[in-house]
Amino acid sequence: MGSEPNSPEDPDTLRVAGSPLWLRALPIVMLLVLIAAQAFTPGNVELGPYYAAVPPLAALGFGAPGVAILSATVLIVMQMPVIGAGGLAISESGAVGLIGALSVVIAGVRRRYHGRLVRVSTVAEAAQLAVLAPLPTAVGPVKCAALYRAAQRGTLVGGDLYDVRAGPYGVRALVADVQGHGLAAVGTVAGLLGAFREAVLDLPDLGQVAGRLERRLAVDAAAMEDGDSELFATALLLEFPVGGAEVRIACCGHPPPLLVRDGRAREIVAEPAPPLGMGLPGLPGPTVASEPLLPGDMVLAYTDGVIEARDADGVFYPLADRLVARLKDGMAATPRAVVNGIWEDLAAYAGAVGDDVAMLALAPR
């Protein structure tokens, strides 16, 4: 089966797939500059050796055929009397030819490994998106928007997670923060999301959903080879019941959500239970709290990466105050505008954010 044009597997590709235009233009521009400079340089000044830099530059942006063409062009130019490259350039053509040949080999190896990297990156991205899939703009009667930024560079999934699912008992949402971050936490994230998605369909009470997540962590911790029994996660469960103008909340050691109403924001009080996976005997599960909702209300859930970000003076990010300020400045009170606006403000406030950040905004229609 033939490969697509300009794909990493295409042997006739003259350039490396994905190389930026400026990188491909660089060796050509350098060759033209050398030709022009030689024309205005006194005859006793030799610029010929600089032509040897053109093939290695070409290897950065072109495949082997393209580098071979440019290397041959350089050799031809060096032999042209009208260019006046100098006697040294002509006598060193063999060295320049060897450099060109090595550049062709380097370009071929680079293109092969670039193709492998593209394939591996594509598979990794697909796997991560399968774990933490993008949310639709609405789930049932609830408009939603989420934002996630992993602390580990180059990853799409870390130690924070969120999900929104419709089921027989209404629309339910989960925001959680597992122990650790980065790729090491992805297995726990996947396990919790799987348990949540099943519990949404099976269990009528939000506290029971939290119990299912607790059991998932306990089983995973017991199966760990190193015997680590401290696998835990903070979690916030939200439920918008069928036909009810309210939100129900179960909090397991997680920061409380914000209720955004008429340009103001306040925390929704919910008695917290211990984080999931702590396995503390004698303690009941989370108490399910209820908060009435009015038309236009929005609930914002988030992880501690948001409120624990600090500015240059070490001051924690005041989420509710900054959100209200941005709403007064004209930011739209829609789920997408809120999560995007908070992230922009957080990045400006803290500079580099060193922890996973997740936000989930929900607005019943």
Side-chain angles (χ1 to χ4, degrees):
M1 182 181 293
S3 56
E4 295 181 1
N6 293 335
S7 68
E9 298 84 358
D10 185 358
D12 298 325
T13 300
L14 294 184
R15 64 179 179 85
V16 175
S19 300
L21 179 61
W22 67 268
L23 187 60
R24 301 196 301 273
L26 186 59
I28 299 173
V29 171
M30 183 176 183
L31 179 59
L32 295 176
V33 168
L34 286 172
I35 293 173
Q38 189 70 66
F40 296 98
T41 301
N44 61 340
V45 178
E46 296 285 356
L47 297 181
Y50 294 101
Y51 285 85
V54 174
L57 281 178
L60 296 176
F62 289 86
V67 176
I69 292 172
L70 280 172
S71 299
T73 303
V74 169
L75 289 174
I76 294 172
V77 167
M78 292 175 65
Q79 307 300 325
M80 295 174 63
V82 67
I83 300 301
L88 179 61
I90 296 175
S91 64
E92 296 296 327
S93 295
V96 174
L98 177 60
I99 293 174
L102 291 175
S103 298
V104 171
V105 174
I106 292 171
V109 173
R110 178 183 182 274
R111 184 171 63 85
R112 172 173 293 184
Y113 281 97
H114 179 272
R116 291 180 181 178
L117 179 61
V118 168
R119 292 193 295 272
V120 170
S121 298
T122 301
V123 171
E125 181 174 347
Q128 292 180 79
L129 289 176
V131 173
L132 197 63
L135 287 181
T137 56
V139 176
V142 178
K143 294 184 291 184
C144 53
L147 182 141
Y148 185 80
R149 294 293 184 272
Q152 185 170 334
R153 192 172 182 180
T155 62
L156 300 178
V157 181
D160 291 358
L161 62 116
Y162 58 80
D163 200 7
V164 184
R165 296 279 162 166
Y169 310 104
V171 175
R172 287 171 169 173
L174 167 68
V175 176
D177 182 359
V178 308
Q179 178 191 25
H181 56 76
L183 294 177
V186 173
T188 307
V189 168
L192 284 176
L193 286 171
F196 171 73
R197 290 163 184 170
E198 290 184 359
V200 163
L201 301 176
D202 299 336
L203 302 175
D205 182 73
L206 205 57
Q208 293 175 319
V209 177
R212 180 69 61 85
L213 301 182
E214 174 83 31
R215 187 181 69 177
R216 177 74 269 164
L217 280 182
V219 171
D220 289 348
M224 295 179 71
E225 294 182 358
D226 58 3
D228 185 359
S229 60
E230 295 185 354
L231 183 63
F232 65 90
T234 67
L236 183 72
L237 289 160
L238 304 170
E239 179 182 270
F240 299 88
V242 177
E246 63 175 341
V247 58
R248 296 171 184 164
I249 302 166
C251 180
C252 300
H254 199 83
L258 295 181
L259 175 63
V260 182
R261 174 182 293 168
D262 297 331
R264 297 185 298 272
R266 65 171 176 85
E267 292 184 352
I268 300 177
V269 178
E271 183 178 350
L276 300 172
M278 296 300 290
L280 299 177
L283 290 180
T287 300
V288 179
S290 179
E291 179 74 25
L293 296 177
L294 301 177
D297 284 354
M298 185 189 323
V299 178
L300 175 66
Y302 51 91
T303 57
D304 59 9
V306 177
I307 56 175
E308 291 183 358
R310 307 185 188 211
D311 64 6
D313 297 324
V315 179
F316 290 114
Y317 182 72
L319 173 59
D321 294 340
R322 303 281 291 201
L323 172 57
V324 170
R326 289 189 69 89
L327 290 171
K328 289 181 178 178
D329 288 341
M331 182 179 72
T334 63
R336 176 52 55 193
V338 165
V339 296
N340 287 346
I342 292 175
W343 171 249
E344 293 172 1
D345 188 61
L346 179 65
Y349 180 90
V353 180
D355 196 2
D356 296 324
V357 167
M359 288 180 281
L360 178 62
L362 304 164
R365 292 184 287 186

